[in-house]
Amino acid sequence: MSDTRAPVSELFAGANASPFGRAQRRPRGARIPVSIVTGFLGAGKTTLIRALLDSPEGANTAVVVNEYGEIGIDNALLRASSDATVLLGNGCVCCLARSDLQETLRTLFADRARGAVPSFERVVIETSGLADPGPLLQTFASDRALGEEFHLQALVTVIDAPNGARNLASAPEAREQVALADRIILTKTDLADPAELIAQLQALTAAPAERAVNGAIDPAYLLDERLDLPVRVPEHDHAHAHSHDIESFIVTFDRPLRWPAFEQAMTVLTALRGADLLRVKGIVAVEGVKGPVVVHAVQHTAHRPIELQTWPDDDGRSRLVFITRGIGRAEIENLLSAVAAIVKEPTQ
Amino acid sequence: MPATDNSMIWNFKLVSHNSLDGFGGIGEGMSMQLAKDGRRILWLAHESAPKNFTAVDVTDPKNPKIVARRELPESHMRSNSLETVGDILAVAYQTKEPGLKPAGFELFDISTPENPKSISFFDCSGPESRGVHQLWFTDGKTIHMSAGAADFRPSHPKDDQIYRAIDVSSPAKPTELGRWWLPGQQVGDNEAPPKRHPGANDSGFRPHNTNVYPERPDRVYMGYLDGGMIVLDIADQAHPKMVSRWDYHPPNVGFTHTVVPFFDRDLLIVSDECTRNDGADWPKLVWIVDNRAEENPVPIATCPMPPVESFSRRGGRFGAHNLWENLPKEGCWKSDRIVFGTFFNGGLRAFDLDNPYQPKEAAYFVPEVPGAPTGACQLNDVFIDDRGLVFTVDRHVGGLYVLEMDF
């Protein structure tokens, strides 16, 4: 995790400049929000997205899919089309991620700017069933890729009651989809008792799980962002969610952090164990900075930290949720304090 | 906003729209009065006759209400520009041809917004003058303006307006403090007249906006149309001196319009005005200028625009025009991180200037204007109040739009 601070030149900074750039009202700032819907084939992703597009809240959505057939476009909805983009009703567009997702999203962005497609307000990406969401999350992290224009809002994993438990037991991709998710959606619970599946989910993640019947779910559940990743409430000083080596825990700091020390610690962590650092997200109080700083890292890649104008609640402490493979809370805390002890104070 | 039309909205929320009772053509005068009774009255200068100005109560932004409106005395004139300070309203009057009247500015007492009462008229008419195109009035004492004068003899008819400063601290008796023009602009100057821009691109050498801020009360920041950007030292108000000039025409087509300093960041934000339809004078841009060495301003970036090949075909003008000028007045929003501008059919656009070398688009609002004579909106000016509400107006028929920033 190299220096990921906003590219604020010391030139023209002005007396009130923050090292993180202009404080934002929300993590996405002015960028286009992206929700990723993942889940195995047949889990019900398409039904959910279709229902979203038909709702008032889903108006002006750009959907990126692998196959048009999946999204169920019929002729009545087809208004115009180009090679890869179909205009739907309700201000929505549907776009095929034929080859490269980055290229697809860049084209969508450019088409939107020139008015070739409706001025969509959000993107929903439906992944293919077997997709490992990790690389997808990283796509939105670096400025060189898509991070300047798009902001990852939520990773939502859909899992169906009849097949979910079997998939989780047999497919590592399914477990990663669940472990990394901000939210879980359970489908087809009328076809099978989800009790066993729910138990498996709880071993993998503390993410909230809602049931959707025929795709009906609160659109905010798909589209909104939460600053904190879900994590279990610590019990008996043992907060790890043990399962298949995937752990999730929260690290809190009562005092504001020195950013150089924190950044160095994260750099060491990602350099040594990036592959096992599945996801880190939270808000950090930084010395000398007024608002909380949103931190989000996926494996070796960190999203640009964003300073918010205000704290989301009265708890002004730093809090970071780690989802890891085999790295525990004690190791993280020890690393952070060790690095903080040896990082020099900035010279004036 | 229906998605089936040509409207585009991003990171703004439309709070309300008022078509101004069929007279929705507004110029580039927008000023908010914080009335003594607590109301917020937005004064709007019309683009052209028959209307002079309209006052809109925007205390409740969801429900703007017209509270006053005045007609122009003559059809051969326009008001176009106005400002308020406290309960004083100043309105610029420009005639279609030189030699016509009334040409100058008028001061009104607006202590009762419903009933503006004329206080005085400052005459700028003359055989070669069209009067006042634009005025800047923020301190209650001085009007800085682009105006002709009875005794000014331009070396070219299009160069009739100059920088003039008028003391209005006694509103009933405005008196001139000083004036400045580009050397060569007047017959008899030692310098040669400025070289004309070719053909239809000859818009003239004269000031457009003449901005003065309390951070630097000894400076006037001017767009000087075909003369580029000019900054004056007015420490001696009777004898202004040029500090710097940045002229990028040619290669660009002229009409430099507004210069907004971001003092704390040593930056100037400079806008052009697009004056021709269908992209004929493209590019018309918002420039970011390095002003660390005041005598040598250096352009470092322009604000990103949507593709000209699509917008130039939408109808009417497409390109830069007015900027939000961080008006140094009570009730106004201020920022040196965000640039707001109106771009005719490109709508209202906001740019994040965190990195001034790479301004980024943050928000836009391009309304569909039913009955637009050019086929597309022609957003003309923008005003932002200290509630963070963004007011923008259409040049022809669209009227007033009230927006919230959502970024």
Side-chain angles (χ1 to χ4, degrees):
Chain A
M1 185 160 124
S2 59
D3 186 348
T4 53
R5 280 173 291 182
V8 175
S9 166
E10 288 187 8
L11 291 176
F12 315 115
N16 300 317
S18 158
F20 302 98
R22 184 174 65 88
Q24 307 283 341
R25 293 183 183 205
R26 57 190 173 206
R28 81 168 174 87
R31 295 173 290 174
I32 299 170
V34 177
S35 289
I36 297 173
V37 180
T38 189
F40 266 43
L41 193 66
K45 302 188 292 290
T46 302
T47 307
L48 269 170
I49 295 173
R50 184 74 259 173
L52 171 72
L53 297 185
D54 289 339
S55 72
E57 295 88 346
N60 305 322
T61 298
V63 188
V64 178
V65 298
N66 289 290
E67 293 291 339
Y68 282 143
E70 291 178 4
I71 205 73
I73 293 165
D74 56 40
N75 287 334
L77 288 170
L78 203 76
R79 297 219 332 265
S81 68
S82 61
D83 281 352
T85 305
V86 176
L87 302 187
L88 310 177
N90 210 13
C92 296
V93 296
C94 185
C95 194
L96 272 185
R98 270 194 186 130
S99 51
D100 179 58
L101 178 69
Q102 291 191 27
E103 187 185 325
T104 301
L105 287 172
R106 287 201 178 287
T107 304
L108 261 181
F109 186 81
D111 285 350
R112 173 179 178 270
R114 66 190 177 94
V117 299
S119 182
F120 58 83
E121 295 170 16
R122 69 191 67 81
V123 172
V124 174
I125 297 172
E126 179 184 344
T127 70
S128 66
L130 281 169
D132 172 359
L136 203 51
L137 297 183
Q138 292 185 59
T139 298
F140 295 96
S142 82
D143 293 349
R144 278 188 298 258
L146 297 164
E148 281 294 295
E149 284 90 24
F150 296 93
H151 172 75
L152 177 67
Q153 196 89 342
L155 172 67
V156 181
T157 294
V158 186
I159 191 157
D160 67 305
N163 301 303
R166 190 172 66 241
N167 289 338
L168 285 179
S170 62
E173 296 91 346
R175 292 197 293 276
E176 296 240 330
Q177 287 174 358
V178 168
L180 290 176
D182 293 278
R183 283 158 229 146
I184 306 288
I185 295 178
L186 292 173
T187 59
K188 305 181 186 176
T189 49
D190 51 332
L191 302 181
D193 180 0
E196 185 195 344
L197 173 61
I198 289 171
Q200 276 185 284
L201 290 172
Q202 286 173 345
L204 273 170
T205 180
E210 292 280 336
R211 298 183 188 202
V213 177
N214 294 325
I217 198 148
D218 178 4
Y221 195 76
L222 279 173
L223 302 176
D224 285 0
E225 175 169 28
R226 285 179 53 88
L227 290 176
D228 302 314
L229 287 173
V231 69
R232 302 183 147 204
V233 176
E235 294 171 18
H236 311 296
D237 197 34
H238 185 77
H240 304 177
H242 284 291
S243 180
H244 307 281
D245 295 330
I246 293 175
E247 316 200 18
S248 76
F249 51 88
I250 186 164
V251 177
T252 59
F253 305 92
D254 292 335
R255 300 181 55 185
L257 300 176
R258 276 192 298 131
W259 183 257
F262 175 73
E263 192 173 47
Q264 283 294 325
M266 292 301 290
T267 302
V268 170
L269 187 59
T270 51
L272 296 177
R273 297 292 299 273
D276 297 323
L277 199 65
L278 300 181
R279 208 172 167 196
V280 183
K281 192 175 179 190
I283 50 178
V284 176
V286 177
E287 280 183 8
V289 173
K290 184 165 163 266
V293 176
V294 179
V295 171
H296 188 189
V298 179
Q299 296 189 321
H300 293 94
T301 319
H303 291 241
R304 179 159 67 87
I306 299 290
E307 182 187 345
L308 300 180
Q309 292 170 358
T310 54
W311 282 83
D313 49 39
D314 293 335
D315 183 357
R317 292 180 306 163
S318 300
R319 49 195 196 251
L320 286 167
V321 170
F322 286 75
I323 299 173
T324 71
R325 192 183 287 111
I327 312 173
R329 182 167 64 185
E331 289 97 308
I332 300 285
E333 287 175 339
N334 290 341
L335 173 70
L336 287 170
S337 53
V339 173
I342 61 169
V343 169
K344 284 184 181 173
E345 292 285 345
T347 52
Q348 297 296 316
Chain B
M1 184 86 15
T4 51
D5 58 27
N6 282 318
S7 61
M8 306 170 77
I9 186 165
W10 175 241
N11 287 337
F12 284 118
K13 284 182 182 161
L14 182 62
V15 176
S16 64
H17 171 227
N18 190 313
S19 58
L20 303 178
D21 288 350
F23 292 94
I26 300 298
E28 44 195 341
M30 303 178 76
S31 188
M32 186 174 281
Q33 174 196 14
L34 303 181
K36 288 198 171 65
D37 60 9
R39 289 183 297 167
R40 289 173 180 256
I41 309 294
L42 189 62
W43 296 82
L44 304 171
H46 283 266
E47 170 70 17
S48 56
K51 299 300 177 193
N52 186 350
F53 54 80
T54 295
V56 184
D57 180 348
V58 292
T59 314
D60 174 6
K62 292 185 177 136
N63 186 26
K65 295 186 286 276
I66 295 176
V67 295
R69 173 169 272 171
R70 287 293 179 272
E71 304 275 324
L72 287 167
E74 302 287 348
S75 61
H76 61 238
M77 62 189 290
R78 63 194 284 213
S79 50
N80 190 63
S81 169
L82 59 73
E83 279 296 348
T84 64
V85 178
D87 287 338
I88 303 285
L89 165 69
V91 184
Y93 294 147
Q94 176 177 289
T95 54
K96 283 184 177 168
E97 303 293 338
L100 299 176
K101 292 186 176 184
F105 68 79
E106 186 168 10
L107 298 180
F108 293 87
D109 174 352
I110 52 170
S111 50
T112 304
E114 285 77 3
N115 185 24
K117 291 182 212 159
S118 182
I119 301 171
S120 62
F121 175 74
F122 186 81
D123 185 13
C124 299
S125 68
E128 297 178 78
S129 168
R130 288 174 292 175
V132 183
H133 185 73
Q134 177 277 341
L135 56 78
W136 176 267
F137 179 44
T138 60
D139 64 359
K141 297 175 187 165
T142 307
I143 286 181
H144 305 268
M145 61 183 185
S146 173
D151 57 348
F152 186 76
R153 294 190 57 216
S155 53
H156 187 280
K158 289 184 174 175
D159 301 351
D160 60 320
Q161 287 159 333
I162 60 175
Y163 165 70
R164 299 180 69 185
I166 312 298
D167 180 356
V168 292
S169 50
S170 297
K173 290 183 182 173
T175 54
E176 183 159 9
L177 296 169
R179 56 173 74 175
W180 184 92
W181 59 90
L182 189 66
Q185 194 179 336
Q186 179 167 238
V187 172
D189 282 354
N190 290 331
E191 296 79 1
K195 186 181 174 190
R196 311 310 301 176
H197 286 204
N201 292 333
D202 180 3
S203 293
F205 291 80
R206 55 185 195 273
H208 198 286
N209 281 21
T210 51
N211 296 13
V212 179
Y213 293 85
E215 290 91 337
R216 285 305 302 265
D218 57 344
R219 291 288 180 272
V220 188
Y221 298 89
M222 299 191 294
Y224 217 85
L225 300 196
D226 291 355
M229 178 197 88
I230 292 176
V231 180
L232 298 182
D233 179 344
I234 53 167
D236 178 358
Q237 184 71 74
H239 303 96
K241 295 188 289 285
M242 185 158 69
V243 174
S244 65
R245 179 181 177 188
W246 171 51
D247 186 8
Y248 45 103
H249 334 104
N252 283 33
V253 177
F255 226 105
T256 308
H257 191 277
T258 302
V259 181
V260 179
F262 285 0
F263 292 101
D264 192 38
R265 302 183 69 190
D266 288 327
L267 294 169
L268 301 175
I269 317 302
V270 180
S271 73
D272 299 325
E273 180 180 345
C274 169
T275 61
R276 297 177 65 189
N277 290 348
D278 307 321
D281 58 357
W282 179 260
K284 288 303 180 90
L285 301 168
V286 173
W287 303 79
I288 313 302
V289 176
D290 175 348
N291 198 45
R292 286 175 298 157
E294 190 189 23
E295 71 286 358
N296 187 32
V298 176
I300 58 172
T302 63
C303 290
M305 298 277 284
V308 60
E309 54 270 23
S310 48
F311 274 78
S312 63
R313 298 190 186 110
R314 283 183 160 223
R317 303 177 180 185
F318 168 58
H321 192 197
N322 277 289
L323 300 174
W324 169 238
E325 295 166 289
N326 282 335
L327 278 175
K329 279 176 43 181
E330 192 186 4
C332 293
W333 185 82
K334 294 174 185 69
S335 173
D336 62 5
R337 304 279 150 183
I338 304 282
V339 174
F340 282 85
T342 48
F343 294 81
F344 295 109
N345 77 18
L348 169 75
R349 312 188 84 84
F351 307 92
D352 190 323
L353 212 66
D354 248 356
N355 179 353
Y357 288 104
Q358 292 177 315
K360 285 187 65 68
E361 185 173 84
Y364 52 72
F365 170 65
V366 185
E368 180 86 355
V369 176
T374 60
C377 74
Q378 295 282 280
L379 295 195
N380 216 22
D381 200 1
V382 55
F383 181 95
I384 309 176
D385 78 9
D386 60 358
R387 298 175 293 181
L389 291 166
V390 183
F391 301 86
T392 187
V393 288
D394 185 61
R395 186 163 179 258
H396 291 143
V397 294
L400 173 69
Y401 301 84
V402 187
L403 303 154
E404 277 176 11
M405 294 179 222
D406 187 28
F407 60 92

